[in-house]
Amino acid sequence: MIIRREALALGGGALATGLLARPALLRAEAWKPSRPVRLIVTYPPGGVNDIVGRIVAEPLGQELGQSVVVENRAGAGGNIGTQAALQAEADGHTILFGTTAMFGVNPVMYKSSGVDAARDFACLATIGEVANVLSVAPKRMAATTLAEFVAEARSKPLVYGSVGNGSSSHLSAVVFLKAAGVEATHVPYRGSSPLVAAMLANDVDFCFDTTATSTAHIRAGALRPLGVTTARRASALPEVPTLREAGVKDYDLGIWFGLFVPVRTPAPIFAALQKALLATRTPQTTERLQRAFVDPLAVPTEDLARWVTADSERWQKISVEAGIRAD
């Protein structure tokens, strides 16, 4: 399992009082759910968030003695599902599937939404992490290394695609271009499918997209990978260097997933849910995640609240500097 940015976990400020106030792991009492548990995933079916949610739902249900049912509540960058989870009774029967974007981007992108996941939710545990992959369209770019990419970018104007303004795909590119000292024109698409289609049609020069959606095309030779955004190599593409290894100093932008409940959830319920969720960290779950091109991510429970706070602050800073706006 990956334990990422341990130092970061200790460096966050007081972004979320609720997160910081929540004990890392309390003694689990005899609480058990009395009916099926809802796991609200704030994205449509079929995507990586939905897949990861369903992977963890099955063993979590086994641990709790009740089925865990995934409920897809997409829209408004995740705010619709987040609001639904917040409005539900804080009785342990509704869990929110949380992502980097919901905590680190949405507070900047949707300032007046009235939804603040970082303030209103406490993390039970992190589940997994995916990297974005810097890939080029082979028919538009000759670069096979990051150094060649930078040289080519300085010799001609480039166009890159993303899965949307303010997405991790977009922000990964913004941070990279700034660090590399090159410029490119941004074309936002509405999701991974149209972005990949644009890459395969040679409409754009390069993109950042997740291992979950890029790996099959990379293995088929349709996309040429130059680096991954995480500090460690992705298990889906072990031959592809990290951008840090390729020369971009301190670059580390992974996309994490975790399960959350409202901060007002009673401590015994929180503890029981957390204990059950931690018990799902098995070789079987790891194998299923990796088959979906996702690496397990296990932040120690004692560091969890500070880690989420610090990582959220980091993404918020990137979002502000990028001047992102909603599509």
Side-chain angles (χ1 to χ4, degrees):
M1 296 230 175
I2 296 174
I3 300 176
R4 182 168 57 91
R5 292 193 293 273
E6 292 87 352
L8 178 62
L10 303 176
L15 172 70
T17 303
L19 282 172
L20 292 174
R22 174 64 62 180
L25 180 60
L26 301 172
R27 182 174 62 89
E29 304 293 341
W31 181 86
K32 288 284 186 181
S34 59
R35 61 183 185 276
V37 174
R38 290 193 303 163
L39 176 56
I40 295 180
V41 174
T42 63
Y43 294 87
V48 64
N49 298 278
D50 180 64
I51 291 170
V52 174
R54 293 178 190 278
I55 287 173
V56 75
E58 181 180 349
L60 180 58
Q62 293 170 355
E63 293 292 331
L64 291 173
Q66 287 281 355
S67 58
V68 176
V69 181
V70 171
E71 180 179 313
N72 299 95
R73 299 289 294 270
N79 286 338
I80 290 177
T82 303
Q83 188 67 49
L86 185 62
Q87 291 174 343
E89 289 294 325
D91 60 1
H93 291 87
T94 301
I95 300 173
L96 177 67
F97 184 90
T99 68
T100 304
M102 291 161 56
F103 287 80
V105 179
N106 285 8
V108 176
M109 199 164 183
Y110 302 97
K111 291 181 179 180
S112 59
S113 69
V115 177
D116 189 336
R119 177 194 64 203
D120 296 326
F121 288 88
C123 188
L124 295 168
T126 50
I127 303 300
E129 174 185 59
V130 295
N132 275 315
V133 188
L134 167 58
S135 299
V136 300
K139 292 183 179 179
R140 288 182 63 113
M141 293 194 71
T144 60
T145 66
L146 195 63
E148 292 174 355
F149 176 95
V150 171
E152 195 167 348
R154 289 172 177 166
S155 69
K156 65 180 183 182
L158 297 182
V159 177
Y160 73 96
S162 80
V163 304
N165 285 315
S167 64
S168 68
S169 168
H170 176 205
L171 295 176
S172 293
V174 169
V175 174
F176 164 72
L177 291 170
K178 181 179 179 180
V182 296
E183 296 182 354
T185 300
H186 176 219
V187 178
Y189 292 86
R190 293 190 177 273
S192 288
S193 293
L195 170 61
V196 171
M199 285 285 290
L200 298 180
N202 297 299
D203 292 335
V204 293
D205 294 294
F206 69 96
C207 75
F208 283 78
D209 202 12
T210 68
T211 51
T213 46
S214 299
T215 298
H217 299 289
I218 289 169
R219 290 177 177 173
L223 302 177
R224 183 187 302 132
L226 301 185
V228 297
T229 60
T230 43
R232 304 187 189 190
R233 294 195 182 197
S235 63
L237 297 166
E239 73 283 2
V240 179
T242 67
L243 291 175
R244 181 183 289 184
E245 289 176 324
V248 185
K249 185 179 179 182
D250 297 329
Y251 196 106
D252 177 13
L253 289 176
I255 306 156
W256 54 261
F257 314 107
L259 297 194
F260 293 76
V261 291
V263 294
R264 67 183 188 278
T265 301
I269 297 176
F270 180 93
L273 288 171
Q274 187 175 64
K275 181 180 178 181
L277 184 54
L278 293 177
T280 68
R281 289 176 174 169
T282 64
Q284 292 77 17
T285 301
T286 294
E287 182 182 357
R288 291 188 66 191
L289 288 170
Q290 290 181 334
R291 284 205 304 266
F293 310 127
V294 176
D295 283 312
L297 174 63
V299 175
T301 53
E302 63 270 20
D303 294 334
L304 190 57
R306 289 172 296 191
W307 186 91
V308 172
T309 297
D311 199 66
S312 299
E313 287 182 334
R314 191 169 67 109
W315 278 96
Q316 287 186 27
K317 183 174 184 292
I318 291 169
S319 301
V320 169
E321 291 176 351
I324 61 167
R325 57 177 177 78
D327 290 320

